[in-house]
Amino acid sequence: MRLIVNPVAGRGRGAKVAEQVPRILSARGVAHELCYSTTPEEPAKLAQAAVQEHCPCVVTIGGDGLVHHVANVLVGTDTTLGIIPAGTGNDFARGLRLPIDIDRAVQVIVDGVDQQVDVGQANQRYFFSVAVLGLAAEVNRRANRFKRFRVNALY
């Protein structure tokens, strides 16, 4: 299992969660590799390498942006996506009713609970939850600039 972490997700929550997940997996006897992404392009490269290595599961530790980049690589492959929510809004994970609690989220992955999701495509990119344009996209872009408030409350 490859864990891909966005350490700055959720104002640093990604790094804090990434410290806990390997301990939980090790205690449950699950082999894993922890990879931190340091650039916006790196998650896709790490996911692509996992697919080429026939890794059965890639787990994201971060928010919706990380899920988006990794899932775009995994569509159409035999590699399963796991999600440990550690972002600001975690809208995709919430929509799938995944637990926000770290122990419970890891247990869902360890238990192999699968959900299929619909996938859309626009401009050679996949989307998995929502696609917005126009005013909604502009509101989202502006809300993401605020650092003191939760983005979903601003939106």
Side-chain angles (χ1 to χ4, degrees):
M1 173 181 304
R2 177 162 294 159
L3 308 172
I4 300 177
V5 180
N6 177 354
V8 298
R11 296 181 183 87
R13 185 167 186 261
K16 292 175 186 168
V17 171
E19 292 173 5
Q20 298 173 42
V21 172
R23 287 194 298 267
I24 297 167
L25 289 172
S26 293
R28 292 182 172 134
V30 177
H32 57 277
E33 174 188 8
L34 185 64
C35 302
Y36 286 86
S37 64
T38 57
T39 68
E41 300 78 27
E42 198 164 16
K45 292 177 184 176
L46 292 167
Q48 186 61 46
V51 169
Q52 291 171 345
E53 296 163 14
H54 305 286
C55 183
C57 183
V58 172
V59 177
T60 61
I61 301 174
D64 293 330
L66 180 62
V67 170
H68 172 79
H69 290 295
V70 171
N72 258 273
V73 173
L74 301 184
V75 170
T77 72
D78 293 328
T79 302
T80 301
L81 172 66
I83 301 171
I84 307 286
T88 303
N90 301 308
D91 294 327
F92 188 61
R94 288 178 195 280
L96 293 173
R97 291 187 166 79
L98 294 175
I100 301 301
D101 175 77
I102 299 165
D103 284 312
R104 290 180 46 221
V106 170
Q107 193 59 50
V108 167
I109 293 166
V110 170
D111 290 345
V113 178
D114 288 344
Q115 292 185 53
Q116 289 190 339
V117 297
D118 291 330
V119 176
Q121 188 177 29
N123 299 326
Q124 290 74 51
R125 297 288 296 169
Y126 295 106
F127 61 92
F128 309 92
S129 180
V130 296
V132 297
L133 54 102
L135 180 62
E138 180 62 19
V139 168
N140 189 49
R141 186 181 67 75
R142 288 182 185 198
N144 282 326
R145 284 197 227 151
F146 287 92
K147 302 298 180 203
R148 291 183 45 197
F149 305 104
R150 288 186 49 109
V151 172
N152 22 358
L154 284 170
Y155 190 85

